[in-house]
Amino acid sequence: MKYISTRGGMEKIPFKQTVFEGLAPDGGLIIPEKVPRLTPEELKTWSTLSYQELALNVFRYFVDDILEDTLKEIIYRSYQTFRTKEVTPVVKIGDIYILELFHGPTWAFKDVALQFLGNLFEKLLLETGEKINILGATSGDTGSAAIYGVRGKKNIAIFILHPHRRVSEVQALMMTTVTDDNVFNLAIEGTFDDCQAIVKQIFMDLDFKRRYRLTAINSINWARVMAQMVYYFWAYFRVCEKEGVEQVMFSVPTGNFGDIFAGYLARKMLGEERVPKLILATNENDILYRFVNFGDYSVGQVKPTISPSMDIQVASNFERYLYYLLGEDSEKTKQAMEKFASEKTLKFDQNIIEKIQQDFLSDRATEEETFETIRTFYENTGYILDPHTAVGIKAAYRFKKDIPIVCLATAHPAKFPETVSKALGIEFELPDEIKKLYHLPQKYDILSASVAKVKEYIEYKAV
Ligand SMILES: *Cc1c(COP(=O)(O)O)cnc(C)c1O
């Protein structure tokens, strides 16, 4: 498989070259040049595979420049760190299925991709003898998942900025209790926006970026998207087997459109008739909800919510879907994205809206509705939802008819104990593994919100 840019301005590249890339050189996003459709025989074989075997079979389509045994070893190593043998178990709660994506080291779904990416990085760097320094800013989830992805790995150092005393206690502990030599937690005296601005400025210094081989870990990375496709197949087969059906729908709590785009590709491979719709669930940051329902993709103000990992305005993976929506026409995609960059809005006509709605349904949840969903779901079933998953559950019930729905559980409630306790009116008991974090040694450095200070720090500690 070769890879192309959504904007058409890149020579085809092999998989390995996508791994360390964010954007394509022409400003587009990297996508596979074609998406295969599974044969009935493949469907039958895949339906009985273990999670790891399934991952190998999915990746084999998209990766032809890594030896199969090597790929297999990376996959097995990546999912050994999960707390369940099934990696991402599917559980039936009441009349709905929940795909639990939170059994990795940082209790949220980003581990599924970042455990894999960390091992992939290490393997490819050992082949070439190169080194990288990963730099990123986090308000919570992504930073800890990235740190756990590369902790202790050779030829990689990671620098993660978080706003000092402004991330939740559990989230801070998940980062600062990682004391490996190659992990650097920078607690910045400022806000998350300050952290992001510093990272952005450092990446803009191309000389510095080259000298230290700075690498971002962001949700537009193709290998991350690819790793996320696996659990859609996994859940599809579990539910079909259990219900004796051939159609399943998915409800996906969505922010940057990475997770649901993986679902879109898995659906293409399975065949649209098997997954009639994907349900795109947003919180009050609802640009994607407006896109699906009204063809209106217009930037508003980011509003902080109780499902913070979905607080986005511009969805960084959106362009990938746009490319398919516009008939795989890279010229049209480029024009649309350039228009969006200057006008901050895209409006689609009725024809296109109908096309979008063949792929997606969408609902949004207010803060009140999210609290309410956590509360009533617990009252009815005894199952505790995290606030992100609650947004997905609310949307799932809005569209539930005869076809079974799988809601992706993107985080464990223990990551958001304050919100969950407030919703339920009872003190939420943390799992022992998380309680333990409070007693572990911590490693972090407090720095002022200064680009120069952070650069100096990286110069001193980089590999
Ligand atoms: C990142 C994240 C999301 C959103 O995923 P996208 O791929 O950005 O759409 C949802 N829930 C949780 C808990 C997350 O960490």
Side-chain angles (χ1 to χ4, degrees):
M1 182 73 73
K2 293 282 187 292
Y3 290 84
I4 57 173
S5 164
T6 48
R7 300 194 192 181
M10 179 180 81
E11 293 288 326
K12 290 180 186 176
I13 58 170
F15 173 78
K16 272 191 202 173
Q17 229 174 303
T18 73
V19 176
F20 296 98
E21 299 290 334
L23 288 180
D26 63 352
L29 298 187
I30 296 169
I31 46 168
E33 65 175 341
K34 57 178 186 293
V35 180
R37 164 127 196 199
L38 300 180
T39 63
E41 295 76 53
E42 282 169 320
L43 278 169
K44 195 151 179 283
T45 325
W46 285 26
S47 68
T48 58
L49 299 178
S50 71
Y51 189 93
Q52 289 85 345
E53 290 165 339
L54 190 58
L56 184 63
N57 277 274
V58 176
F59 297 173
R60 250 198 312 233
Y61 275 108
F62 297 101
V63 183
D64 53 17
D65 51 353
I66 297 179
L67 290 177
E68 186 164 321
D69 279 348
T70 307
L71 195 55
K72 194 168 163 183
E73 184 202 320
I74 296 173
I75 293 168
Y76 277 80
R77 182 147 7 112
S78 301
Y79 297 116
Q80 245 166 30
T81 55
F82 279 60
R83 290 179 299 277
T84 59
K85 193 168 94 335
E86 289 178 287
V87 185
T88 62
V90 181
V91 294
K92 189 169 189 183
I93 306 292
D95 55 357
I96 207 135
Y97 283 89
I98 293 188
L99 171 56
E100 295 185 339
L101 301 174
F102 51 67
H103 295 284
T106 71
W107 304 71
F109 96 97
K110 291 190 172 66
D111 287 328
V112 180
L114 287 172
Q115 285 292 305
F116 173 70
L117 192 64
N119 285 310
L120 186 61
F121 274 170
E122 185 179 53
K123 197 77 194 175
L124 298 185
L125 290 171
L126 281 173
E127 279 178 7
T128 60
E130 286 172 72
K131 297 177 177 177
I132 56 166
N133 291 287
I134 295 167
L135 173 64
T138 192
S139 55
D141 270 356
T142 313
S144 54
I147 287 171
Y148 271 86
V150 302
R151 66 182 297 182
K153 300 254 183 291
K154 296 182 199 77
N155 300 326
I156 303 176
I158 183 165
F159 300 84
I160 296 291
L161 282 61
H162 70 264
H164 187 41
R165 300 218 168 93
R166 289 187 181 163
V167 299
S168 83
E169 204 170 15
V170 172
Q171 288 194 321
L173 284 170
M174 275 188 187
M175 297 190 276
T176 59
T177 55
V178 180
T179 55
D180 299 70
D181 290 342
N182 70 331
V183 173
F184 301 99
N185 284 297
L186 306 187
I188 301 294
E189 293 175 318
T191 62
F192 173 57
D193 287 342
D194 295 331
C195 296
Q196 260 188 323
I198 292 170
V199 167
K200 205 166 164 187
Q201 279 203 44
I202 295 178
F203 271 111
M204 278 185 336
D205 182 344
L206 295 182
D207 234 24
F208 189 87
K209 181 175 172 228
R210 219 168 291 128
R211 190 154 4 115
Y212 294 101
R213 296 156 314 275
L214 288 187
T215 305
I217 288 201
N218 42 37
S219 74
I220 56 176
N221 180 288
W222 162 254
R224 271 181 78 173
V225 174
M226 181 182 82
Q228 290 170 9
M229 291 169 67
V230 178
Y231 49 70
Y232 286 92
F233 293 104
W234 172 259
Y236 174 79
F237 293 126
R238 300 293 80 70
V239 174
C240 287
E241 183 183 80
K242 186 122 190 220
E243 297 283 323
V245 295
E246 287 189 355
Q247 289 191 315
V248 176
M249 305 213 295
F250 291 91
S251 179
V252 187
T254 296
N256 273 317
F257 207 84
D259 202 1
I260 199 165
F261 182 73
Y264 174 78
L265 292 184
R267 175 174 175 263
K268 266 188 187 298
M269 290 178 73
L270 282 167
E272 276 103 23
E273 70 284 3
R274 294 199 169 79
V275 182
K277 303 276 194 236
L278 295 163
I279 300 169
L280 190 160
T282 76
N283 63 24
E284 291 178 23
N285 295 287
D286 63 356
I287 182 170
L288 291 166
Y289 163 84
R290 286 181 276 118
F291 167 69
V292 172
N293 286 294
F294 316 113
D296 171 21
Y297 190 75
S298 309
V299 178
Q301 283 286 318
V302 178
K303 177 175 179 225
T305 71
I306 53 169
S307 44
S309 300
M310 293 155 65
D311 292 347
I312 58 99
Q313 273 305 329
V314 180
S316 54
N317 277 287
F318 175 73
E319 180 170 345
R320 285 193 165 113
Y321 174 64
L322 187 63
Y323 171 81
Y324 290 101
L325 179 64
L326 300 178
E328 305 185 31
D329 184 328
S330 51
E331 198 46 48
K332 277 190 191 159
T333 308
K334 179 165 171 253
Q335 281 167 11
M337 289 311 295
E338 282 170 359
K339 185 165 186 286
F340 178 71
S342 64
E343 296 171 15
K344 303 288 173 225
T345 174
L346 287 176
K347 295 264 166 53
F348 296 91
D349 63 28
Q350 198 51 40
N351 276 340
I352 298 274
I353 295 176
E354 277 165 26
K355 231 175 134 193
I356 300 167
Q357 294 179 355
Q358 282 163 20
D359 298 325
F360 299 104
L361 298 164
S362 181
D363 192 22
R364 77 196 278 276
T366 62
E367 297 288 90
E368 220 21 75
E369 288 165 333
T370 307
F371 275 122
E372 179 67 16
T373 305
I374 297 174
R375 198 170 58 74
T376 52
F377 201 74
Y378 177 69
E379 280 171 4
N380 294 336
T381 67
Y383 189 95
I384 302 180
L385 300 168
D386 101 282
H388 303 79
T389 310
V391 170
I393 289 286
K394 191 234 162 192
Y397 276 111
R398 158 132 184 237
F399 298 114
K400 190 166 181 345
K401 288 201 192 87
D402 305 331
I403 301 173
I405 298 183
V406 177
C407 178
L408 276 60
T410 52
H412 190 283
K415 286 202 97 164
F416 305 93
E418 298 86 1
T419 303
V420 172
S421 298
K422 190 170 162 199
L424 300 182
I426 51 170
E427 194 59 38
F428 177 76
E429 175 91 13
L430 291 177
D432 287 342
E433 289 105 317
I434 290 186
K435 276 193 204 150
K436 270 189 216 147
L437 296 178
Y438 285 84
H439 309 291
L440 293 178
Q442 296 189 43
K443 175 185 166 187
Y444 63 95
D445 289 298
I446 303 169
L447 261 65
S448 57
S450 139
V451 172
K453 280 275 185 307
V454 174
K455 272 184 169 172
E456 197 185 319
Y457 189 100
I458 294 173
E459 279 170 11
Y460 191 60
K461 306 278 191 184
V463 290

